[in-house]
Amino acid sequence: MKIYAQGLSETAIAVKIKEKMQQMTLEEKIGMLHANGLFTSAGVTRLGIPDLMSDDGPLGVREDLKSNWASAGLTTDSATFFPNGSALAATWSADLARRFGVAMGEEARARGKHIMLAPAFNITRTPLNGRTYEYYSEDPFLNAQLAVASVKGLQSQFVAACIKHYAVNNQEVDRSGVSVTLSERALREIYLPAFKAAVIDGNAWVVMSAYNKFRGEYLGENKYLLNDVLKGEWKFKGLVMSDWGGTHSTVNAANHGLDIEMGSRQPYNTNYFADPLIAAVKDGKVSQSTIDDKVSRILWVMYHTSLATNAPAGKLNTPDHSKTVYDVATEAIVLLKNSKQMLPLNTAKYKSIAVIGDNATQTFHSGGFGAGVKAKYEVNALEGLKSRIGNRVELKFAQGYKPDYKNNYNAQRKEAANKPDMAMIQQAAEVAKNSGAAIVFIGGNREYESEGSDRKTLDLPFGEQELVDAVTAANPNTIVVVVGGAPYDLGKIKQNNHTIVFSWYNGSENGNALADVLTGKVNPSGKLPFTFPVKLEDSPAHALKTYPGENHVTEYKEGILVGYRWFDTKKIEPMYPFGYGLSYTNYAYSDFHTNKAAYKKGEKINVTLKLKNTGKYAGKEVVQLYVTKDGSKVERADKELKAFKKVMVEAGKEVIVKLELDVNDLAYYDEAVNNWVVEPGRYKLQAGSSSKDIRSLVNITIN
Ligand code: BGC
């Protein structure tokens, strides 16, 4: 029998839950179903049931706040700042996602939190979404692998993962009003897989319902997605909490699957799941057993977290956590272009290097609207470079630009003031001219990419393009480092500049990680978790003009063709494709084969290939396996990611890479039978270094 948290079996937990519930009044039960503070809901003190403490999520354990969201002013709540979601996704490493979860779980424990409002992994449907940086990817498979590993890591510390935002919450514009409609197939194939995997394979204990509506009904009271799919089909045993202020009714929400109303306003007893719920039960509109189900789900989560007596104590800001953050950060950095082999930087060649751009000295642990973390420390890029090469090379800083906005932080369409500051640019160009090389830091920041708003364009903000142009003209040895959590229009830079690196809101170790990648201590291995389009209108939602919707309805007309699925199928050249990222070495793929030529349902497909590092640096390559169905009777994406593996290869060495998939992984969702169907016939398996860089292929048949 499986032994659970407290040393109690599931059966013993069920008995305990029943015992507690028998002693509770209706008022006490309903007291547990709504917030009694910003991040807490009530327990029952007389029965030894503590309050349930949650906290954001996903950048680290947020500082403690007063009920009006102001800082509580504590000195004990600084925490580790973890790289943002798309950074983690760029590592393509489930192992790092697990370590990320473990470390964050330890910090949550140390801070007395039972639920982390993380991970967040809504699909990147539009590159403009202000929360792209918080989320992982445009691909459901990569998304699911990372979600499961993060959840498992976090929950190994007896801290519940609250996976969010369930579901189809893919834009911030009109997020509380918009109703998303889409085909059942797109829902099942693109938007739900990571949630399903996190629940079934990751065993996530808590789910947060999203702000938006799905097919006309708010997610906080969406019978289909909460009761039928999540609690019915997937047999979810944990609790569903609303997003903050995302509850809109008493009876519907209670009957359709919501368990706790969060973000409730004071006085707390007036909220939907407080006195009005007591009245609804007394009126017979919500049954006693519905209430009991909710309370027992909450207690069940508690017996795995706060009421688990053998839970670890937790740890805050340890060197171990810094190491995890550093490993994620280094493996997330994506080398976009290195055509002059200027990287790794040979510091012996330069007496001085100009370090230019506001993002060289910016920190990213907080800013904008939404969750941040009071970082114990954050090494910015300039500090990182100073600590790594400052004793050998003179580093000369010039700010180059100042972030400035056309509209305030809560505008739904965030716009940067794009006026270049010519005096700052001139000064930066001057510094670059008098240095051996220049590194220009541009991109976004936590104010520009933010919850509550979407960006209006993909343009580089704040006159950054003009800065890059001037610095590049002043010094041909210019490296461009773009910092962001989402795609930007890098067209001109791609054309004019020889060295481009993409970095992220990369956690406490940001600057150290970046310096180590630039100088070659770490060979870059990050791969883009989403497509960078040449122009916005190339992206599916924008090409089909289905963003941000009209009259509070947005129809996902692109269906299953999200991200690279659209670009590949429609033969649209992206600026940088999904899965792309260079290294300081090269990898040769060979001997790609499967264990058989034909398979039946239920069988495993074993894929093997040889990967040789043909360069002089050791490195990690992400081997990606895409599948295509030849001559399908239904619409199919040209390629779908079905497996990947990140592998270390020493310089000059060859390794054997094995990947496994199940024949069932080749299924599509058939709306006619409302189920997954594996079509017989020929499938093309393609192994590559990105979605556009396919190195070998093999055909198999499914009988
Ligand atoms: C966000 C959630 C977050 C919650 C609590 C909401 O605005 O959508 O992701 O967990 O606030 O801070």
Side-chain angles (χ1 to χ4, degrees):
M1 193 197 312
K2 185 159 180 197
I3 301 301
Y4 280 82
Q6 222 193 357
L8 294 176
S9 66
E10 282 292 301
T11 325
I13 288 179
V15 171
K16 289 238 167 213
I17 291 173
K18 209 163 163 199
E19 273 168 21
K20 294 271 187 224
M21 301 240 317
Q22 275 164 353
Q23 303 174 62
M24 290 167 72
T25 64
L26 177 66
E27 285 70 19
E28 282 171 333
K29 288 177 184 168
I30 289 181
M32 292 177 71
L33 305 186
H34 59 267
N36 68 345
L38 198 52
F39 288 99
T40 56
S41 53
V44 182
T45 318
R46 75 177 179 92
L47 297 176
I49 304 171
D51 283 9
L52 194 56
M53 317 285 281
S54 55
D55 206 359
D56 282 304
L59 296 176
V61 189
R62 189 177 190 156
E63 73 173 307
D64 286 351
L65 301 174
K66 293 192 200 145
S67 58
N68 64 357
W69 296 89
S71 164
L74 306 183
T75 52
T76 47
D77 57 354
S78 301
T80 299
F81 163 35
F82 291 83
N84 63 288
S86 48
L88 178 64
T91 68
W92 288 60
S93 168
D95 186 51
L96 285 174
R98 184 193 54 78
R99 285 174 55 198
F100 185 113
V102 170
M104 197 186 282
E106 288 181 341
E107 301 225 337
R109 268 272 149 211
R111 293 270 311 280
K113 315 294 179 188
H114 312 133
I115 301 177
M116 279 302 289
L117 307 175
F121 45 77
N122 292 93
I123 287 282
T124 308
R125 175 177 182 253
T126 160
L128 297 182
N129 183 358
R131 302 188 86 167
T132 302
Y133 83 92
E134 279 189 79
Y135 301 149
Y136 290 156
S137 172
E138 67 188 21
D139 179 78
F141 181 77
L142 176 59
N143 220 14
Q145 299 302 302
L146 299 169
V148 169
S150 295
V151 166
K152 282 187 174 165
L154 196 51
Q155 295 192 164
S156 71
Q157 300 309 306
F158 302 74
V159 172
C162 174
I163 56 174
K164 65 188 189 183
H165 309 84
Y166 183 71
V168 287
N169 181 191
N170 309 99
Q171 64 189 52
E172 290 298 286
V173 170
D174 197 22
R175 68 174 179 178
S176 299
V178 75
S179 176
V180 171
T181 61
L182 77 170
S183 70
E184 189 67 19
R185 182 169 173 212
L187 177 73
R188 299 285 180 157
E189 290 189 20
I190 306 293
Y191 297 94
L192 292 189
F195 286 102
K196 181 180 178 184
V199 167
I200 294 177
D201 305 330
N203 189 26
W205 295 329
V206 181
V207 171
M208 184 189 291
S209 61
Y211 278 131
N212 50 295
K213 295 176 182 169
F214 167 70
R215 295 183 187 152
E217 198 173 41
Y218 277 112
L219 263 310
E221 53 189 74
N222 199 286
K223 177 181 172 297
Y224 181 62
L225 283 179
L226 299 183
N227 271 350
D228 300 350
V229 176
L230 176 67
K231 292 181 172 177
E233 278 179 43
W234 302 347
K235 304 190 169 37
F236 174 64
K237 292 173 72 178
L239 70 91
V240 179
M241 59 170 56
S242 72
D243 199 344
W244 269 229
T247 309
H248 297 272
S249 65
T250 298
V251 175
N252 271 351
N255 287 336
H256 292 178
L258 185 71
D259 299 311
I260 304 187
E261 172 187 9
M262 290 303 290
S264 331
R265 295 209 179 80
Q266 298 192 52
Y268 293 115
N269 66 312
T270 61
N271 284 280
Y272 293 111
F273 272 23
D275 289 352
L277 186 54
I278 299 178
V281 174
K282 291 189 170 153
D283 286 353
K285 292 183 180 143
V286 175
S287 71
Q288 182 71 54
S289 68
T290 300
I291 301 298
D292 286 351
D293 176 64
K294 297 182 194 312
V295 175
S296 62
R297 285 169 181 274
I298 297 169
L299 288 169
W300 185 81
V301 172
M302 287 178 165
Y303 276 107
H304 291 86
T305 56
S306 53
L307 290 175
T309 53
N310 62 342
K315 297 174 197 161
L316 201 55
N317 300 309
T318 64
D320 234 33
H321 295 176
S322 295
K323 176 73 167 84
T324 296
V325 163
Y326 171 84
D327 288 346
V328 172
T330 47
E331 293 203 25
I333 293 168
V334 181
L335 179 61
L336 293 177
K337 192 171 176 190
N338 195 21
S339 56
K340 285 253 162 67
Q341 310 295 311
M342 202 180 154
L343 295 177
L345 199 60
N346 180 356
T347 47
K349 270 172 71 177
Y350 311 107
K351 277 211 195 70
S352 62
I353 294 178
V355 178
I356 289 166
D358 189 64
N359 270 348
T361 52
Q362 273 274 1
T363 54
F364 305 108
H365 54 272
S366 64
F369 178 81
V373 55
K374 195 204 271 181
K376 178 82 176 170
Y377 74 96
E378 177 181 348
V379 180
N380 69 34
L382 181 60
E383 289 164 348
L385 285 163
K386 278 192 177 148
S387 82
R388 295 330 204 224
I389 58 171
N391 59 347
R392 288 174 270 151
V393 184
E394 190 195 350
L395 298 170
K396 299 191 279 191
F397 175 70
Q399 193 186 350
Y401 70 90
K402 250 204 306 278
D404 191 11
Y405 304 89
K406 277 194 194 154
N407 46 21
N408 69 5
Y409 82 97
N410 58 7
Q412 293 218 357
R413 309 297 299 271
K414 184 69 69 67
E415 272 187 279
N418 249 343
K419 276 223 188 76
D421 183 324
M422 293 320 290
M424 285 181 111
I425 291 181
Q426 231 160 37
Q427 195 226 341
E430 201 58 33
V431 174
K433 199 168 147 195
N434 296 317
S435 306
I439 312 176
V440 198
F441 290 83
I442 54 163
N445 58 45
R446 291 287 316 290
E447 196 71 44
Y448 188 43
E449 291 180 39
S450 167
E451 180 185 332
S453 55
D454 293 343
R455 281 179 298 155
K456 204 161 181 189
T457 72
L458 293 177
D459 297 347
L460 284 168
F462 320 133
E464 292 173 349
Q465 184 65 56
E466 287 80 357
L467 173 66
V468 170
D469 292 346
V471 171
T472 309
N475 190 326
N477 295 329
T478 291
I479 296 164
V480 180
V481 178
V482 186
V483 178
Y488 282 84
D489 180 352
L490 303 181
K492 197 165 177 207
I493 291 177
K494 184 182 177 190
Q495 196 180 344
N496 294 346
N497 289 81
H498 46 73
T499 314
I500 315 169
V501 172
F502 198 87
S503 188
W504 309 88
Y505 307 130
N506 229 351
S508 290
E509 287 286 319
N510 167 31
N512 291 336
L514 187 83
D516 286 348
V517 167
L518 293 181
T519 56
K521 184 171 177 216
V522 177
N523 191 351
S525 62
K527 302 273 188 177
L528 295 177
F530 32 61
T531 308
F532 278 46
V534 169
K535 51 188 193 306
L536 188 60
E537 305 78 62
D538 290 346
S539 288
H542 300 275
L544 300 175
K545 300 195 172 26
T546 64
Y547 164 89
E550 270 172 39
N551 302 322
H552 305 297
V553 176
T554 178
E555 190 188 344
Y556 289 7
K557 289 188 184 150
E558 69 283 4
I560 57 164
L561 298 183
V562 175
Y564 67 93
R565 286 167 164 75
W566 167 268
F567 285 81
D568 277 358
T569 310
K570 302 287 176 190
K571 312 256 178 293
I572 301 166
E573 205 51 41
M575 175 151 42
Y576 289 111
F578 173 77
Y580 174 83
L582 303 173
S583 161
Y584 296 150
T585 188
N586 290 305
Y587 303 99
Y589 287 58
S590 67
D591 198 17
F592 179 45
H593 63 274
T594 52
N595 60 326
K596 297 204 294 178
Y599 297 86
K600 290 196 286 290
K601 274 176 210 152
E603 286 187 332
K604 298 268 184 238
I605 305 167
N606 292 301
V607 179
T608 308
L609 60 85
K610 286 187 183 146
L611 183 72
K612 182 158 190 191
N613 180 340
T614 57
K616 48 182 189 339
Y617 300 95
K620 289 184 179 173
E621 166 71 327
V622 179
V623 174
Q624 302 162 39
L625 185 75
Y626 296 90
V627 173
T628 307
K629 170 76 185 79
D630 281 338
S632 175
K633 63 175 188 197
V634 295
E635 178 188 44
R636 293 272 191 159
D638 198 49
K639 265 185 230 106
E640 292 177 33
L641 182 72
K642 293 293 178 193
F644 64 86
K645 196 175 254 178
K646 191 164 198 176
V647 274
M648 173 77 197
V649 202
E650 296 300 330
K653 290 276 177 340
E654 186 170 73
V655 295
I656 292 178
V657 182
K658 288 177 188 291
L659 297 162
E660 187 184 82
L661 52 160
D662 197 292
V663 170
N664 287 332
D665 297 338
L666 307 178
Y668 72 94
Y669 193 84
D670 186 347
E671 293 180 356
V673 293
N674 268 331
N675 213 338
W676 295 88
V677 169
V678 180
E679 210 183 346
R682 206 166 78 128
Y683 288 78
K684 196 154 66 193
L685 306 187
Q686 305 175 74
S689 183
S690 86
S691 61
K692 297 283 281 182
D693 183 7
I694 298 301
R695 303 293 181 85
S696 13
L697 59 95
V698 72
N699 289 312
I700 58 166
T701 304
I702 305 296
N703 293 315

